[in-house]
Amino acid sequence: MIIIGEKINSTLKSVRPAIEKYDAAAIQSLAKRQSEAGASYIDLNAGMFYQDEPDRLEWLVKTVQEVVSTPLAIDSPNPKALLRGLQANKNGKPIINSITDEKERFDAVLPLILEYNTSVIALCMDDTGMPETEADRMKIAESLISKLTKSGVKLDDIYIDPLIRPIGTGSHYGRVAIETMRMVKKEYPDVHITCGLSNISFGIPLRKIMNQAFLVAATAAGMDGAILDPLDKKLMTFLYAAEALIGRDDYCMNYLTQFREGNLVE
Ligand code: THG
């Protein structure tokens, strides 16, 4: 599983003040801990700072790469902020989080992918919004993959995010996300699939349980990336168990290694 550590995000009540005060030590601690917990990417999001998001994002990039060499997921809908993050990046090939099939956003973000040779998370939404059905999400995924590959982006650099809507706001949203993943994986086995897991449980009790169940179901449908909290040992335990169960972990080697290192919990 390609784990994208979500903790350095300005929407988090516990993290926002650290970004506000330019508290490098607090941000660096989150980066180090996520990296040690197995994050393949560290997501950086300064979106709550509307006025100076580009400055804050650049500061996050510089601050984090002083202590880890883990590649970065530069998380913003704002091409100006993405550009500043990419210019500051030294941690190897980053992932842009994200592009959509909205015309203006697509046209603004595509040149950044090409110029900075990045991977990219592509969200299943376009100028008509977030479609309700898996068929309509699949159409957007196809459009994004077709346009990106025609522009020279490799399949292996594309991460489709079906966009997860809270299960409490529509009983079909879990199925729509999972079926979109299954369809994308079948049609494009070389494309990656990821999502922000915790959106599924927004507004309902025992959120962690719902996130864990969704992680397992999505993994079984072909999801091979996830934006999640790698410091959550229980969630990580489900992740390693799910990978073993669907045949992505020969002889449960990784599961056993994680167990021996004390990373799994009951
Ligand atoms: N897809 C993509 N990128 C994304 C998202 C997505 N980036 C942002 C977000 N969604 C994923 N990142 C987070 C980061 C933290 C939390 C959830 C998603 C989180 N939220 C708790 C909550 O919602 O209650 C805690 C909030 C708090 O402490 O203030 O932890 O879907 N491509």
Side-chain angles (χ1 to χ4, degrees):
M1 187 72 73
I2 298 159
I3 296 161
I4 305 175
E6 72 182 11
K7 300 291 288 185
I8 304 180
N9 189 310
S10 56
T11 61
L12 291 172
K13 283 183 218 78
S14 55
V15 178
R16 189 179 176 161
I19 304 178
E20 179 111 56
K21 291 181 293 189
Y22 293 107
D23 180 350
I27 296 299
Q28 288 172 339
S29 162
L30 282 174
K32 273 192 275 192
R33 286 160 59 212
Q34 291 185 96
S35 187
E36 282 159 13
S40 326
Y41 292 92
I42 308 283
D43 194 77
L44 301 178
N45 178 309
M48 291 298 274
F49 298 91
Y50 314 103
Q51 302 300 331
D52 51 358
E53 185 190 358
D55 290 337
R56 301 273 176 180
L57 196 52
E58 180 192 83
W59 176 78
L60 284 176
V61 169
K62 289 182 171 166
T63 302
V64 163
Q65 60 197 7
E66 278 174 20
V67 293
V68 298
S69 54
T70 312
L72 306 176
I74 317 231
D75 187 351
S76 173
N78 174 357
K80 290 195 180 77
L82 290 173
L83 174 62
R84 291 279 297 283
L86 292 169
Q87 285 170 333
N89 174 65
K90 291 181 190 149
N91 272 15
K93 188 169 184 165
I95 186 162
I96 289 179
N97 184 10
S98 51
I99 197 166
T100 67
D101 210 8
E102 296 160 294
K103 188 170 185 336
E104 202 180 315
R105 182 155 165 194
F106 187 90
D107 291 346
V109 176
L110 176 64
L112 300 176
I113 303 171
L114 299 175
E115 179 168 355
Y116 290 89
N117 182 34
T118 75
S119 298
V120 65
I121 297 177
L123 306 180
C124 291
M125 76 188 267
D126 63 13
D127 288 303
T128 65
M130 275 190 225
E132 285 294 322
T133 67
E134 51 266 45
D136 286 346
R137 287 192 195 208
M138 180 64 186
K139 267 189 217 142
I140 299 179
E142 284 173 331
S143 164
L144 281 161
I145 293 167
S146 155
K147 282 155 68 178
L148 287 167
T149 51
K150 277 183 191 139
S151 308
V153 181
K154 291 197 284 298
L155 288 171
D156 184 46
D157 282 325
I158 301 172
Y159 291 68
I160 294 292
D161 180 338
L163 272 177
I164 310 304
R165 299 180 76 176
I167 192 68
T169 65
S171 54
H172 56 302
Y173 283 138
R175 193 204 67 228
V176 166
I178 285 166
E179 285 311 313
T180 306
M181 290 176 176
R182 208 187 303 282
M183 289 160 82
V184 172
K185 198 71 204 170
K186 183 152 185 269
E187 199 69 27
Y188 305 97
D190 295 335
V191 162
H192 300 283
I193 296 172
T194 193
C195 75
L197 261 197
S198 61
N199 301 0
I200 197 72
S201 62
F202 191 76
I204 54 160
L206 300 179
R207 289 188 65 177
K208 288 189 170 200
I209 297 291
M210 195 61 93
N211 295 344
Q212 288 154 5
F214 184 66
L215 171 67
V216 176
T219 303
M223 183 177 80
D224 66 344
I227 306 166
L228 50 69
D229 178 3
L231 306 182
D232 181 340
K233 281 195 162 194
K234 193 75 176 275
L235 185 62
M236 293 298 278
T237 301
F238 273 98
L239 188 155
Y240 295 120
E243 294 224 286
L245 286 169
I246 66 155
R248 272 199 221 143
D249 182 8
D250 287 346
Y251 306 103
C252 300
M253 285 291 276
N254 193 31
Y255 184 85
L256 293 171
T257 304
Q258 297 296 333
F259 172 72
R260 265 186 241 110
E261 290 176 1
N263 297 333
L264 304 189
V265 291
E266 241 181 329

